[in-house]
Structures are given as C-alpha cells and as structure tokens.
Amino acid sequence: WAIIACLGVLLFGTLQGIVVAMIVSLLGLSTQTAHPQIYIIGRKRGTHVLRPLSPRNPDDETFDGLLIVRPEGRIYFVNAPQIANQIGVLVKEHQPKVLVLDMSRVPDIEYSALQMLIEHERKVTEHGAVLWLAALNPGVLEVVRRSGFAEYLGRERMMFNASIAIERYQALYAQSVTAFK
C-alpha cells in the first residue's frame, strides 16, 4: 500500500495520491473479507492444542466421523454463500456424523448470513450429519440467540469451545482417532 500511495502522490499530487491509495486499500480489504479462509481443524497429538491441518504437522489427530471447520473473519451477506459452499464441499468429501463450526475467529455475523447458516444446517442434516456450534464470540452468540437458532440447536449442540466439542463427540460416539487423508 505504501508503494501505491507513493506512486499516487508522485503521479497525481499529494491529496489525489492519498485518495488513490485509500481507494486501492479499501478495494483490497473488501476483496479479503469477501473471500475468508476456512480451515479444517485438528488436534496436536497428545495435547489440547487445536490448529488448522497442515502438511507441516502430519501427526495432528482428527476423529473419525467428526469434522471441525473454522471460518475466519466477519461473516456477512457477501461472503456467506462462499463459506456455505466451501463447508458443503468439505461435508460431502468427509461425510461426518458431526460437523462442528468453530466460530472462535468470527468476530461478527450479520443476520442475513446467519439465515444462510440456518439453511446450511438443514442441508448438513440431509447429508446425515449434525451441526454443532463452538466458541461463539459474545456478539455472534447474541445474534444466534436473538434469531432463535440457539434455542433450536439446544445447549447440547452449542459448545464453549472446540476442545469440549471433541470431548463430547468422543463421549457420545466413542470413535477411534484417525487422520483425514
């Protein structure tokens, strides 16, 4: 951004150059928020550390029938369809019994995006999986509660964090640990 600002100032003058840099910066930020990262989460073997699965950590454990997905960033009407599509692909690929959405990296969710999440819950159920929510930030939790979705899911499908979701899943399904490959 600094190079663009510098070139803008040199080409158009101070005020116009700063305006050019601001516009380019806003376009870059909106592109980033429109395409959020979505990660499959695994657990560092022998610990309670949860992190995105990566070839650098091939020993991370996952759980047969459990898929933990972590979107990152604000969820709103522009990026909600893309997030739902990406998660849908992961559900079809892994065919979990339980899909946990780890919302710890989602600072805010817009109401219309939440409605898309509710519709996605129905599609997940059609694929034979159950949706659980984990680690909702206070603002997100408030929107989920006001929408009635929290009541629909019930306390048993809303977890304080993804580690608790793993423990609950293991207690309910008593599955062995395997890696998705």
Side-chain angles (χ1 to χ4, degrees), residues 63 65-68 95-100 124 128-132 165 169 172-173:
F63 306 88
L66 175 66
L67 178 62
I68 303 172
Q95 299 183 352
K97 292 178 187 173
V98 175
L99 169 65
V100 175
V124 167
V130 177
L131 176 69
W132 294 357
Y169 178 79
L172 290 173
Y173 294 97

Side-chain angles (χ1 to χ4, degrees), residues 1-29:
W1 304 129
I3 292 171
I4 291 172
C6 183
L7 289 174
V9 168
L10 290 174
L11 293 173
F12 303 112
T14 304
L15 185 57
Q16 293 85 356
I18 291 172
V19 169
V20 166
M22 288 173 38
I23 291 170
V24 170
S25 176
L26 288 173
L27 289 173
L29 289 173

Side-chain angles (χ1 to χ4, degrees), residues 51-172:
R51 60 187 177 188
L53 293 180
S54 164
R56 292 182 301 184
N57 304 307
D59 198 38
D60 283 358
E61 53 189 0
T62 58
F63 306 88
D64 191 32
L66 175 66
L67 178 62
I68 303 172
V69 178
R70 179 188 292 158
E72 291 193 352
R74 182 173 187 262
I75 300 176
Y76 62 111
F77 70 97
V78 172
N79 63 14
Q82 180 185 9
I83 292 169
N85 288 339
Q86 287 179 7
I87 293 172
V89 167
L90 293 173
V91 168
K92 286 179 185 173
E93 180 182 339
H94 296 287
Q95 299 183 352
K97 292 178 187 173
V98 175
L99 169 65
V100 175
L101 288 184
D102 175 352
M103 304 290 276
S104 62
R105 304 293 196 280
V106 177
D108 184 37
I109 187 167
E110 180 191 43
Y111 184 77
S112 63
L114 179 61
Q115 293 304 312
M116 289 182 201
L117 175 63
I118 292 168
E119 180 60 32
H120 183 68
E121 188 273 340
R122 291 184 189 112
K123 290 178 183 176
V124 167
T125 302
E126 290 172 4
H127 281 84
V130 177
L131 176 69
W132 294 357
L133 297 180
L136 281 81
N137 290 307
V140 175
L141 179 59
E142 182 60 29
V143 172
V144 170
R145 284 181 176 156
R146 278 189 279 137
S147 72
F149 194 46
E151 187 176 318
Y152 170 77
L153 291 175
R155 295 182 69 112
E156 61 277 355
R157 292 173 54 193
M158 294 182 62
M159 314 296 155
F160 182 70
N161 60 39
S163 292
I164 292 173
I166 291 171
E167 291 171 11
R168 180 165 174 77
Y169 178 79
Q170 288 177 320
L172 290 173

